[in-house]
Amino acid sequence: GIQVEQSPPDLILQEGANSTLRCNFSDSVNNLQWFHQNPWGQLINLFYIPSGTKQNGRLSATTVATERYSLLYISSSQTTDSGVYFCAVTSNTGKLIFGQGTTLQVKP
Amino acid sequence: ETGVTQSPTHLIKTRGQQVTLRCSSQSGHNTVSWYQQALGQGPQFIFQYYREEENGRGNFPPRFSGLQFPNYSSELNVNALELDDSALYLCASSFSTGNTEAFFGQGTRLTVV
């Protein structure tokens, strides 16, 4: 099956810093989503991005499907950005396959 | 438009008991998927329901079973609970089984003692 690897596993930033999270996947995918898991466990949708580039405020994402990776950019980080970020992909089976996540801590 | 809702939010059960978790899909969505997330791990796919039929299953034993109702809400049932079943259970709904965006509920945190 498809393997999803996220890096780095942990990231500590000072408030205001920028960061880049990476997601590599081992095979062609039909869908890719980025999520932020809040402290209560809910997965919040950030981007649905099978290919191309999208931006939403301080966050942006780029997926290069032909090279099997996606990047999530966080600019001017805030303490509220802390949490776990997951990348998840689907193939033709429709199920989401998640990476292990990147745990981000933003210090004031 | 209502989002995905799950109940209960927390649950404590004893080993060997049975549990039922519930999920209401987002308005307009006909597909529900269930995931198990152990501490420190990414969510793992349990199974998916589309128009009341199971449409794919992950690597989980038969004591994990489910239902989908005509209004597309869903239940996850786990029999003969084991300590390792302690986890966050997440429900996701989507417009179809294809390449559409999935939206998650807030999860049910199950503790088996």
Side-chain angles (χ1 to χ4, degrees), chain A residues 83-106:
Chain A
V84 184
Y85 289 80
F86 285 103
C87 161
V89 304
T90 57
S91 62
N92 54 3
T93 62
K95 69 177 185 180
L96 280 169
I97 303 165
F98 285 79
Q100 291 292 88
T102 292
T103 300
L104 174 64
Q105 183 182 359
V106 181

Side-chain angles (χ1 to χ4, degrees), chain A residues 30-31 33 35 37 39-43 45-48 86 90-101, chain B residues 4 33 35 37 40-45 48 55 57-58 88 90 97-106 109:
Chain A
N30 294 333
N31 175 19
Q33 292 187 242
F35 298 93
Q37 189 163 41
W40 298 272
Q42 184 164 11
L43 289 169
N45 289 42
L46 297 178
F47 294 101
Y48 169 71
F86 285 103
T90 57
S91 62
N92 54 3
T93 62
K95 69 177 185 180
L96 280 169
I97 303 165
F98 285 79
Q100 291 292 88
Chain B
V4 182
S33 303
Y35 294 81
Q37 186 178 19
Q41 304 294 316
Q44 299 291 316
F45 175 75
Q48 182 182 81
N55 182 53
R57 187 179 183 92
L88 179 68
L90 295 162
T97 61
N99 305 322
T100 59
E101 190 172 5
F103 295 85
F104 283 81
Q106 79 278 27
R109 194 167 297 278

Side-chain angles (χ1 to χ4, degrees), chain B residues 53-107:
Chain B
E53 297 288 330
E54 187 178 291
N55 182 53
R57 187 179 183 92
N59 188 26
F60 281 82
R63 59 190 185 83
F64 285 77
S65 63
L67 284 172
Q68 188 178 32
F69 300 100
N71 66 355
Y72 303 129
S73 66
S74 177
E75 288 183 353
L76 164 65
N77 300 291
V78 187
N79 294 322
L81 283 166
E82 301 177 0
L83 297 179
D84 284 349
D85 296 333
S86 295
L88 179 68
Y89 288 85
L90 295 162
C91 167
S93 79
S94 56
F95 178 67
S96 76
T97 61
N99 305 322
T100 59
E101 190 172 5
F103 295 85
F104 283 81
Q106 79 278 27

